[in-house]
Amino acid sequence: QLELVESGGGLVEAGGSLRLSCLVRGRHFQMYHMGWFRQDPGKELEAVSCISLSGDKTYYRDSLKGRFTISRDNTKNTLYLQMDNLKTEDTAMYYCATVRTQETLGVIDRCEAATYRGQGTQVTVSS
């Protein structure tokens, strides 16, 4: 059983930065692929970024490449998402979750939320 607790969300102006953190309480964090997802009211949950067990492989939604950076610290049971050059369309509730990944030729090309998900942290980007 895992408990995922997100933090770091808030209100920021367009062009600004935020760093989200996800503390995972429970055992064997290093055995889970992890990811970040976001959802606007009335819209579907969408994958933002995912990372492999050791952090050597990452996946990003195409529209976010170059602006967002995912990382993990297995010694601290923590997942991170650095978000730079934020845009108003990045406004959403952001969730961390354990994930299932799909690879093609050693590259993660798909990830989806799996068993555990946090309560979310709100990110609001103003114009």
Side-chain angles (χ1 to χ4, degrees):
Q1 188 81 9
L2 298 181
E3 180 185 8
L4 282 62
V5 182
E6 301 96 337
S7 61
L11 174 64
V12 63
E13 291 185 352
S17 298
L18 284 174
R19 188 192 195 204
L20 305 184
S21 298
C22 174
L23 174 63
V24 178
R25 297 185 176 125
R27 299 177 65 182
H28 307 308
F29 170 69
Q30 68 276 11
M31 295 177 64
Y32 293 90
H33 298 289
M34 298 295 300
W36 288 97
F37 297 78
R38 66 186 184 186
Q39 187 171 29
D40 247 350
K43 296 184 179 179
E44 289 188 357
L45 188 72
E46 62 181 30
V48 171
S49 181
C50 294
I51 190 166
S52 60
L53 302 178
S54 65
D56 62 333
K57 297 178 182 179
T58 57
Y59 162 88
Y60 295 94
R61 190 172 193 81
D62 283 346
S63 60
L64 303 176
K65 290 179 180 178
R67 296 194 298 120
F68 287 17
T69 304
I70 191 171
S71 61
R72 65 190 294 166
D73 187 337
N74 287 348
T75 66
K76 296 180 179 179
N77 279 22
T78 303
L79 176 73
Y80 302 99
L81 184 69
Q82 177 67 40
M83 305 186 295
D84 298 317
N85 191 20
L86 282 160
K87 303 178 180 181
T88 55
E89 53 262 42
D90 295 320
T91 294
M93 184 70 79
Y94 283 71
Y95 302 91
C96 67
T98 57
V99 302
R100 288 183 291 270
T101 61
Q102 172 181 290
E103 293 187 14
T104 302
L105 299 177
V107 176
I108 300 175
D109 56 10
R110 179 184 172 86
C111 65
E112 59 184 23
T115 307
Y116 300 103
R117 191 172 90 173
Q119 294 299 306
T121 185
Q122 177 68 37
V123 172
T124 303
V125 185
S126 64
S127 58

